Amino acid sequence: MIKEIETNEIKTLRPLMEYLALHHNEVSSNFKNSYPRHSDEDRIKRFEKEISDGTSKAFGCYENNQLVGAVKIDFDGINGVVDYFVVLKQYQGKGYGKELMDRAIESFKERNIKNIELHVVYGNDAVNFYEKYGFKKQSYIMELKLID
């Protein structure tokens, strides 16, 4: 079941944030345990503000009243961003990611969004999932760490 996550429910995303951080650090040798760059608390506060301001929406996917996946999307004029997308590993392959992405795209269409962007961690096989929706690789974001 997909349900919109209200501002006062954003804290329920914390376990998914922790899971996604572990996943990103595992699949990308470039992160080497440096993901995320901001604390969960800072990201939760940012999500709360953006949802409260109406510049973002979040949707959760639930199985037996347990949050098993989520998407957060942002709006800026005719442009949209899939800012955050996660489905717990044990629930992948059951259609939850599709339900979340379909709901996100529906929400973008409701706002007359023309372009949707998302960033994928290098090494994450979720690229295949996004490509099935028609997302195309547009650029590489490269980084040089001067201090380790």
Side-chain angles (χ1 to χ4, degrees):
M1 173 180 86
I2 302 293
K3 172 180 143 349
E4 188 167 349
I5 298 174
E6 303 295 332
T7 305
N8 63 341
E9 299 172 307
I10 290 297
K11 288 182 175 148
T12 64
L13 292 177
R14 186 180 300 273
L16 295 178
M17 290 176 164
E18 292 168 358
Y19 165 80
L20 191 59
L22 289 171
H23 177 71
H24 283 168
N25 286 309
E26 183 179 294
V27 300
S28 180
S29 60
N30 297 331
F31 276 115
K32 296 185 182 164
N33 297 318
S34 65
Y35 184 89
R37 294 185 178 176
H38 303 285
S39 72
D40 290 345
E41 193 58 38
D42 286 346
R43 289 185 296 150
I44 286 170
K45 285 179 185 173
R46 178 176 59 88
F47 286 11
E48 287 172 339
K49 180 182 182 326
E50 292 168 346
I51 289 170
S52 177
D53 291 348
T55 59
S56 297
K57 281 191 173 210
F59 301 96
C61 186
Y62 298 83
E63 182 176 284
N64 298 323
N65 293 320
Q66 178 185 348
L67 184 63
V68 301
V71 61
K72 179 186 164 284
I73 57 176
D74 303 333
F75 312 106
D76 183 16
I78 63 167
N79 298 305
V81 176
V82 176
D83 179 45
Y84 183 83
F85 191 95
V86 61
V87 175
L88 295 173
K89 186 168 186 75
Q90 62 268 36
Y91 296 96
Q92 292 174 9
K94 296 183 176 188
Y96 295 127
K98 180 181 181 334
E99 288 183 50
L100 285 167
M101 185 59 78
D102 288 349
R103 184 60 189 98
I105 290 172
E106 179 183 318
S107 192
F108 285 131
K109 287 179 179 178
E110 289 168 0
R111 295 226 179 191
N112 295 313
I113 298 297
K114 304 296 182 214
N115 306 299
I116 304 170
E117 175 182 295
L118 65 85
H119 295 190
V120 183
V121 171
Y122 186 80
N124 191 339
D125 60 3
V127 167
N128 299 323
F129 172 80
Y130 300 127
E131 287 177 334
K132 287 179 185 175
Y133 273 89
F135 286 94
K136 306 233 183 298
K137 296 173 190 148
Q138 296 293 319
S139 64
Y140 290 99
I141 298 172
M142 301 177 75
E143 178 180 86
L144 172 65
K145 293 185 189 257
L146 296 176
I147 300 174
D148 200 28

